[in-house]
């Protein structure tokens, strides 16, 4: 009932006569306490009388009916069309009823069943009759009368126009009458028949087209064979016959077909652009290095990378164009990869760049980044492995890479004697076996070929093989260094291979170097536990340390390989006592390495300063009191406390600065006293130079004067400088000058300024209100929910009111019924009383009559 | 053959002596073998002696009481044959003991060991079947003289007998043995050192030290219940049962030992165990003051070690030590980070400086000196000392200007702190700043640099636990670094030219490959 309210109200504002609305007794004005501007008002005026009467009317039509039929089980429904509609005239009503009836009849059970319906006519003639024509004239055969069809034919075929016209002539009068008398019914029938016919025609036409297409198809299939001439059939035959052994010609044809067409590429870059690009690349790398040096890359790492909405989540990032651009330099074809490094394989260079720039990317990714061209090349490579001689390949690839390395050119004639393919060594012994008995150049070629034959793009297991190779090579370089005499030249060459391999597999290489360092440190620790002191490391470890500084950036704040290496070197300087000139050499070399490691990052190494001080102390004649303190492993007085002291005047005068040979680490060759003294002085010179270098490195440190203080005391007060050769005196003077040139400047320490926390702002938050009256400030769902709750409440109230009114209405109805019944009864009782009193009266009158009569008698 | 012969002979004479007194002279055969040249002969002789006199002691066939001289005429006259036999046997027993004592200085350890064990067996048997007449007054008997002899032979002047002493340790588990050993050691030390007239006797002192350092003192009287010689009567009056007596003996022994000059290595050893195993068992630990102060004055590592004992005295026994902090301050020198006892020293220094009532100048001086020293410290020490300094500043908020002096004098020419000044109050550390820590922010080791960077910001209130960092070694630091997991390995981008081919290669200026 409640739902009907709205419609009723809408009716209230429209269909009410003006008389009622203007009647002040009917109108109830809802007074407004105050006016709100712009507010739409709905219920200013009410018409209680009208609305009440409407409600009553409605209830009598619905509720009252229900009430009256409450005890009844069946209902009478009058379904006649428009029976109770007074608006339609009886004529119209009849028309509609007829149409409805027809419609009901035409409703077929199946639209495909055409025969079911009534007979179709055409101008009153049954269509069935027309179709059963007896005299079919073949118009095609009648050549003479071509173009002019006989009237009968047309009449028979087209049933309509012509025939009718003829007939009109004959029986015009007769025909006209029925035509005119065509009732509405006939007209309608005709209409329907016409539309049906059209429909049927359309259907047949469609069927025909379908049939024709099918036929055409089948025909085409037959003809197709003929059209294709003979080649396809023969090919088909061939295919079936020789599928197992493809014809060479076919293969060529295929290959030609699939060959990559020349694709448009970017224009060639000019020299300037190339240089600029290279510079940019280096700048970027340098920036990354600086970033790592400052040690704040870890914070960035944690931050999740931005992922695009289109990201497939497959880890494939295409943020830069990896394609190699052709470029010329001095009229020669130039490859970026060749310029950067010295790798043979173009593939490799691409990968290396990838490795450089995005070192965190997986190897797989990098290989997959290779374009199809490189795939093709790798195919060629694989053929090489299968046995095509390498020099052929060299000829092939020569035009590709123009910048041939000198070395390779050198090795070319030697290389011809060696086999072209090598399997990657499975163990260190394999490698030794491979390289033993070969000259240095041959060894390098062997290594180069191993790397080529086992390039990771060629087979799945090659990556692991080459990773192993790196470890073996590292071990091999260590072994070369321990040989007597050490073959450092060879190591020097091997470093190139190590570098290349390391660029390919940074993780594996890092792990490898780490494990070697770990072994060395472990060995030292064991020695300390057993003997109480450790010897300085041998040349092999020194070489590994040096190689580490070549392969990895030493300036990083933390680096998985470099930091342990630094730790190891610090252990060496702290724990190993210096007892011989060899030890001095080793120690100085370690100091050199240390300085080199920190040359970019300028980090402070207390051990280094201590050690240099100790070494300098070795050249001071022991007197007793000194103004500085030595720390472990050096002692003020002891067995070797004058190891570097030179007192022979003659030797001092004949000294010239010489390089310290690295092999001296394994054992000095100089034996004569003069040579030894010279060697001592060289060590001293080296040491002083290192002091100078560290001064320039640490000059900017806030406590520089305190750091360098002991060395200064030693140099000024204790070192017998005056006895030293001119060159050394100069050096000492330089060092002291440099020390003094560093400014003594102390600023009191202050905490870093904190970033000011912004004050809380009290400006109101502006929210755009798009539509008034709605509940603001909550989510859409919440708003919808609130709206529904509100609506439900209102509807509920309305429903209660309606129900109440219904029951009032019903009660009133029942009361009126009861009153009616009572009145009826009263009336009947009165009637009875009346009749009885009449009866009584009559009877009394009769009695009186009788009495009268008796009296009269 | 001879060996078997000796064995057989010994077994036979043992049987003979034990079977009848008539064959008593066979004892001489046994005693003869004790002086043999051959090791195994001696060994079997010692075993035979042990069994022989063991059973004789048990049977009571040895003379009890003061033993008359063997050749004394009265013996023959006054005593019965029975007594004469027992006196004679007792004399044999005594000579056997003498022989065994001599054997304790034998070159072979096995001989020494079995001789000692036999003697100790005699000690326990003599305790059970006393050879001295029991007076009613002195009803507790223990063969002190015998034990003294054993101890005397343990503490040899020329020979290092640490092995034998460690064997002897099992007997020191007996409370009574321990007590009497302590008394005999103090006698022995006094006697020997007096004889040597204050000259160092390194071997002897080492022996004494290894014997007395292995004494395991009980801490409660109720623990005194393990006796080698069980007394029949109740233990009430026996000195051995009193913890106080034990302590007194212990104290007398140690003080007697320590009052003589010691070799440096022994000095260190004593100081290492002093606080832990000596001081708690002394009845008056304060008596050690002289020793400790003397040690503290020596300087260097010995001073560092003396700290520990001093700490116990100061902390628990109310010792007042003038200029203690000044001396502690002067102990700090560059070698402090390189000595063996670094962990112990810093542990104690941390304790000494944990008081919040220390004056500002003192704490500042310590902080400044430590940071100055850290300029030459190895990384593992730095990882400890930087939090140490930070803790000092945290504990004493007045020290904050050391790391934060916003309105201080700018543009100083020199560090106001005077490193050479011995008196912390005159070192002017209060006016200084910890520039050294600022320099260490550029340390090559990432962890050290991170630690040093803490002073750039106001320190947190919570102190860092230094205890965990004290024991870290260089190698551990390296291991920690190697064990770190890594995700990626950044690579050098500068192309390589050779071993020395880097740009600005320093090695190439001084070294050549060939």
């Amino acid at each position: 009932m409640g739902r009907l309210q709205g419609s009723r109200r809408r009716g209230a504002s429209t269909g009410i006569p003006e008389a009622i609305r203007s009647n002040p007794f009917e109108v109830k004005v809802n007074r407004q306490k105050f006016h709100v501007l712009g507010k739409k008002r709905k219920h200013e005026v009410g018409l209680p009388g009208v609305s009440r009467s409407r409600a009553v009317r409605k209830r009598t039509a619905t509720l009252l009916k229900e009430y009256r039929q409450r005890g009844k089980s069946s209902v009478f429904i009058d379904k006649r069309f428009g029976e109770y509609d007074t608006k339609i005239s009886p004529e119209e009503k009849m028309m509609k009823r007829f149409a409805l009836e027809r419609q009901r009849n035409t409703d077929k059970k199946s639209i495909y069943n055409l025969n079911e319906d009534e007979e179709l006519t055409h101008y009153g003639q049954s269509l069935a009759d027309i179709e059963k024509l007896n005299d079919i004239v073949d118009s095609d055969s009648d050549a003479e009368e071509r173009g002019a069809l006989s009237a009968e034919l047309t009449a028979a075929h087209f049933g309509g126009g012509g025939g009718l016209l003829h007939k009109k002539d004959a029986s015009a009068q007769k025909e006209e009458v029925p035509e005119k008398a065509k009732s509405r019914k006939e007209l309608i029938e005709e209409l329907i028949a016409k539309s049906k016919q059209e429909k049927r025609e359309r259907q047949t036409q469609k069927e025909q087209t379908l049939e024709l297409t099918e036929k055409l198809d089948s025909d085409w299939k037959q003809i197709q064979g003929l059209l294709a001439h003979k080649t396809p059939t023969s090919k088909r035959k061939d295919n079936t016959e020789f599928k197992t052994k493809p014809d060479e010609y076919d293969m060529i044809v295929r290959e030609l077909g699939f060959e990559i067409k020349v694709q448009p590429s970017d224009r060639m870059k000019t020299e300037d652009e190339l240089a600029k690009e290279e510079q940019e690349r280096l700048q970027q790398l340098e920036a990354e290095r600086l970033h790592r040096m400052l040690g704040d890359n870890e914070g960035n790492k944690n931050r999740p990378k931005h992922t695009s909405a289109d990201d497939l989540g497959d880890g494939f990032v295409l943020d830069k164009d990896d394609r190699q651009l052709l470029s010329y330099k001095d009229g020669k074809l130039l490859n970026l990869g060749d310029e950067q490094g010295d790798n043979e394989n173009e593939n490799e260079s691409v990968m290396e760049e990838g490795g450089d720039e995005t070192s965190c990317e997986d190897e797989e990714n990098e290989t997959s980044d290779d374009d199809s061209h490189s795939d093709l090349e790798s195919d060629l490579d694989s053929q090489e492995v299968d046995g095509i001689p390498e020099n052929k390949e060299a000829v092939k690839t020569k035009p590709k890479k123009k910048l041939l390395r000198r070395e390779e050119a050198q090795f070319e004639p030697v290389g011809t004697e060696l086999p072209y393919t090598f399997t990657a060594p499975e163990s260190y012994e394999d490698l030794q076996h491979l390289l033993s008995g070969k000259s240095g150049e041959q060894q390098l070629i062997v290594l180069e070929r191993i790397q080529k034959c086992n390039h990771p793009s060629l087979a799945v297991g090659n990556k692991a093989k080459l990773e192993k190779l790196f470890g073996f090579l590292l071990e091999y370089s260590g072994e070369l260094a321990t040989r007597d005499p050490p073959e450092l030249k060879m190591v020097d060459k091997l470093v190139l291979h190590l570098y290349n391999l390391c660029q390919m597999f940074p993780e594996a290489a890092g792990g490898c170097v780490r494990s070697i360092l770990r072994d060395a440190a472990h060995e030292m620790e064991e020695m300390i536990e057993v003997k109480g002191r450790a010897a300085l490391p041998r040349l092999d470890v020194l070489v590994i340390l040096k190689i580490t500084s070549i392969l990895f950036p030493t300036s990083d704040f933390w680096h998985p390989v470099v930091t342990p290496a630094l730790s190891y070197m610090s252990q060496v300087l702290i724990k190993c006592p210096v007892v011989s000139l060899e030890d001095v050499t080793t120690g100085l070399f370690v100091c050199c390495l240390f300085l080199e490691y920190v040359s970019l990052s300028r980090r402070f190494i207390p051990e280094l300063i201590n050690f240099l001080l100790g070494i300098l102390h070795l050249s001071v004649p022991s007197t007793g009191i000194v103004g500085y303190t030595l720390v472990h492993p050096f002692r003020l007085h002891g067995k070797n406390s004058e190891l570097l002291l030179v007192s022979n005047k003659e030797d001092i005068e004949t000294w010239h600065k010489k390089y310290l040979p690295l092999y001296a680490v394994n054992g000095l060759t100089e034996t004569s006293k003069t040579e030894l003294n010279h060697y001592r002085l060289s060590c001293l010179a080296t040491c002083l130079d290192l002091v100078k270098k560290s001064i320039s490195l640490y000059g900017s440190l806030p406590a520089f004067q305190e750091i360098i203080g002991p060395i200064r005391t030693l140099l000024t007060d204790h070192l017998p400088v005056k006895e030293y050769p001119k060159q050394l005196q100069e050096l000492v003077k330089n060092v002291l000058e440099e020390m003094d040139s560093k400014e003594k400047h102390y600023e009191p320490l202050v905490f870093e300024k904190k970033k000011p926390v912004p004050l809380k702002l009290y400006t109101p938050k502006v929210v755009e209100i798009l539509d008034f009256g709605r509940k603001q400030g909550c989510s859409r769902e919440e708003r919808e929910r609130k709206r529904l709750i509100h609506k439900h409440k209102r509807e509920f109230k309305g429903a209660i009111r309606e129900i109440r009114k219904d029951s009032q209405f019903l009660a009133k109805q029942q009361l009126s019924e009861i009153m009616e019944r009572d009145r009826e009864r009263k009336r009947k009782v009165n009637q009875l009383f009346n009749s009885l009193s009449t009866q009584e009266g009559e009877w009394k009158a009769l009695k009186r009559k009788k009495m009268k009569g008796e009296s009269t008698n | 053959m001879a060996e078997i012969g000796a064995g057989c002979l010994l077994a036979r004479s043992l049987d003979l002596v034990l079977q009848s007194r008539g064959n008593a002279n066979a004892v001489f055969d046994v005693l003869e073998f004790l002086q043999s040249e051959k090791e195994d002969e001696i060994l079997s002789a010692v075993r035979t002696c042990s069994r022989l006199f063991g059973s004789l002691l048990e049977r009571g066939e040895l003379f009890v009481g003061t033993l008359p001289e063997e050749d004394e005429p009265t013996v023959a006259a006054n005593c019965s044959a029975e007594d004469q036999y027992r006196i004679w046997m007792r004399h044999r027993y005594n000579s056997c003991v003498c022989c065994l004592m001599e054997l304790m200085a034998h070159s072979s350890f096995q001989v020494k060991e079995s001789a000692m064990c036999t003697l100790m067996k005699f000690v326990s048997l003599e305790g059970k079947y006393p050879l001295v007449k029991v007076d009613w007054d002195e009803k507790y008997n223990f063969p002190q003289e015998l034990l003294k002899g054993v101890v005397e032979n343990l503490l040899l002047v020329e020979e290092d007998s640490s092995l034998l002493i460690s064997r002897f340790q099992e007997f020191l588990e007996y409370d009574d043995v321990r007590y009497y050993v302590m008394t005999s050691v103090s006698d022995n030390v006094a006697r020997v050192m007096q004889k040597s007239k204050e000259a160092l006797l390194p071997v002897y002192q080492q022996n004494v030290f290894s014997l007395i350092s292995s004494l395991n003192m009980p801490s409660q009287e109720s623990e005194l219940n393990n006796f080698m010689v069980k007394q029949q009567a109740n233990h009430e009056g026996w000195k051995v049962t009193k913890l106080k007596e034990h302590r007194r003996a212990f104290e007398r022994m140690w003080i007697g030992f320590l009052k003589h000059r010691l070799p440096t290595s022994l000095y260190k050893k004593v100081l290492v165990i002093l606080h832990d195993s000596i001081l708690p068992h002394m009845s008056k630990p304060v008596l050690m003051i002289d020793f400790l102060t003397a040690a503290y004055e020596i300087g260097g590592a010995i001073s560092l070690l003396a700290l520990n004992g001093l700490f116990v005295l100061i902390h628990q026994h109310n010792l007042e030590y003038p200029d203690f902090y000044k001396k502690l301050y002067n102990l700090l020198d560059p070698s402090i980070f390189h000595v063996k006892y670094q962990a112990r020293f810093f542990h104690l220094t941390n304790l000494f400086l944990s008081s919040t009532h220390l004056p500002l100048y003192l704490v500042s001086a310590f902080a400044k000196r430590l940071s100055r020293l850290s300029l030459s410290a190895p990384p593992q020490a730095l990882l400890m000392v930087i939090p140490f300094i930070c803790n000092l500043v945290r504990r004493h908020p007045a020290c904050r200007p050391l790391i934060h002096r916003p309105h201080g004098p700018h543009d100083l020419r020199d560090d106001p702190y005077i490193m050479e000044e011995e008196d912390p109050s005159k070192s002017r550390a209060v006016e200084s700043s910890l520039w050294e820590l600022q320099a260490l922010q550029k340390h090559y080791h990432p962890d050290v640099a991170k630690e040093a960077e803490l002073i750039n910001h106001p320190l947190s209130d919570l102190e860092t636990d230094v205890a965990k960092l004290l024991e870290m070694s260089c190698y551990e630091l390296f291991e920690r670094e190697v064990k770190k997991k890594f995700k990626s390995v950044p690579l050098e981008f500068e192309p390589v030219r050779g071993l020395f081919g880097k740009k600005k290669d320093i090695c190439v200026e001084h070294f050549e490959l060939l």
Side-chain angles (χ1 to χ4, degrees), chain A residues 481-675:
Chain A
T482 47
R483 278 185 196 170
D484 192 36
E487 295 175 24
L488 292 174
K489 281 274 185 232
M490 188 60 206
V491 179
D492 196 33
K493 299 267 165 40
L494 277 181
V495 167
L496 300 176
H497 289 282
L498 284 171
Y499 183 81
N500 288 344
L501 283 171
C502 182
Q503 296 285 338
M504 280 199 252
F505 318 107
E507 275 81 13
C512 212
V513 178
R514 263 162 80 118
S515 69
I516 285 182
L517 285 174
R518 196 178 184 165
D519 289 349
H522 189 70
E523 198 182 319
M524 191 160 82
E525 183 64 19
E526 261 183 0
M527 209 155 38
I528 287 171
E529 264 173 29
V530 175
K531 284 188 194 168
R533 58 180 201 173
L536 281 152
R538 313 277 299 168
L539 191 56
D540 49 343
V541 182
L542 298 183
V543 164
I544 299 293
L545 285 172
K546 178 71 197 164
I547 290 174
T548 309
S549 76
I550 292 169
L551 298 184
F552 303 103
T554 52
S555 61
D556 289 10
F557 184 71
W558 183 83
H559 188 283
V561 184
V562 174
T563 311
L566 281 169
S567 266
Y568 176 72
M569 290 196 284
S570 135
Q571 277 194 65
V572 167
L573 293 192
I574 290 171
K575 289 187 175 165
C576 304
V578 175
V579 291
S580 63
L581 280 178
E582 286 88 348
D583 290 349
V584 172
T585 320
T586 315
L588 285 176
F589 188 71
V590 173
C591 287
C592 256
L593 283 178
F594 234 141
L595 271 180
E596 199 182 298
Y597 270 63
V598 298
S599 57
L600 279 174
S601 52
R602 308 171 82 88
R603 296 193 198 285
F604 174 47
I605 310 161
E607 293 90 327
L608 177 74
I609 303 290
N610 290 344
F611 195 85
L612 291 178
L613 178 72
I615 293 286
L616 287 177
H617 177 74
L618 293 181
S619 61
V620 171
S622 50
T623 44
I625 304 155
V626 286
Y628 50 87
T629 335
L630 289 174
V631 294
H632 195 77
F634 295 97
R635 290 198 186 154
L636 268 186
H637 318 288
K639 216 168 79 189
N640 299 301
S641 65
E642 291 185 354
L643 195 64
L644 288 181
L645 184 66
V646 182
S647 44
N648 194 331
K649 283 255 162 79
E650 210 173 297
D651 292 346
I652 287 173
E653 274 160 26
T654 53
W655 175 76
H656 293 287
K657 165 102 169 96
K658 264 198 283 183
Y659 287 118
L660 301 177
L662 258 188
Y663 62 79
V665 169
N666 286 350
L668 272 178
T669 47
E670 284 90 346
T671 42
S672 74
K673 257 194 161 170
T674 319
E675 273 178 333

Side-chain angles (χ1 to χ4, degrees), chain B residues 249-269:
Chain B
F250 184 78
E251 181 184 293
R252 212 179 319 130
M253 172 185 75
W254 270 108
I255 288 177
F257 176 62
L258 293 179
K259 78 180 166 198
H260 306 287
R261 210 152 63 84
L262 296 175
T264 323
S265 62
L266 203 57
Y267 225 131
K268 282 185 190 166
K269 279 183 193 163

Side-chain angles (χ1 to χ4, degrees), chain A residues 749 751, chain B residues 360 393 396-405 457-459:
Chain A
L749 290 184
F751 290 146
Chain B
L360 169 66
V393 179
H396 305 273
C399 286
R400 208 163 104 136
L402 285 180
I403 54 170
H404 180 61
R405 198 189 297 276
H457 304 280
L459 294 172

Side-chain angles (χ1 to χ4, degrees), chain A residues 167-168 171-182:
Chain A
K167 276 177 186 169
K168 211 181 175 180
S171 52
Q173 292 300 315
K174 271 183 194 172
E175 289 280 334
E176 240 162 76
V177 180
E179 202 169 347
K180 273 215 176 134
K182 240 182 203 171

Side-chain angles (χ1 to χ4, degrees), chain B residues 468-500:
Chain B
K468 273 185 274 175
L469 305 167
L470 285 173
E471 300 278 1
M472 179 133 57
S473 76
C474 210
Y475 181 65
E476 273 171 52
L477 195 67
F478 176 82
E479 276 289 293
R480 205 171 74 175
E481 209 52 64
V482 171
K483 273 178 192 154
K484 270 188 191 165
K485 295 270 187 301
F486 59 91
K487 273 186 204 152
S488 68
V489 182
L491 291 173
E492 179 64 58
F493 57 84
E494 192 185 316
V496 60
R497 271 179 218 94
L499 204 52
F500 283 176

Side-chain angles (χ1 to χ4, degrees), chain A residues 422-485:
Chain A
F422 292 94
T423 51
E426 284 298 316
S427 66
Y428 180 55
E429 283 71 33
D430 283 357
L431 183 78
Q432 274 178 323
H433 185 71
L434 261 179
L435 298 182
S436 61
K438 294 196 174 70
S439 72
E441 288 176 353
Q442 279 179 326
Q443 290 183 12
L444 290 175
I445 288 181
V446 168
L447 288 175
E448 203 175 293
R449 288 185 181 163
I450 290 175
Q451 282 178 58
K452 263 191 195 169
C453 297
N454 295 290
H455 195 271
S457 60
L458 299 183
V460 183
N462 281 351
K463 197 184 152 200
K465 280 182 192 165
L466 287 189
E467 282 175 0
K468 269 190 203 162
L469 181 67
F470 179 86
F472 300 148
L473 275 185
L474 214 57
E475 210 172 322
Y476 186 61
S477 3
E479 195 208 286
L480 287 176
T482 47
R483 278 185 196 170
D484 192 36

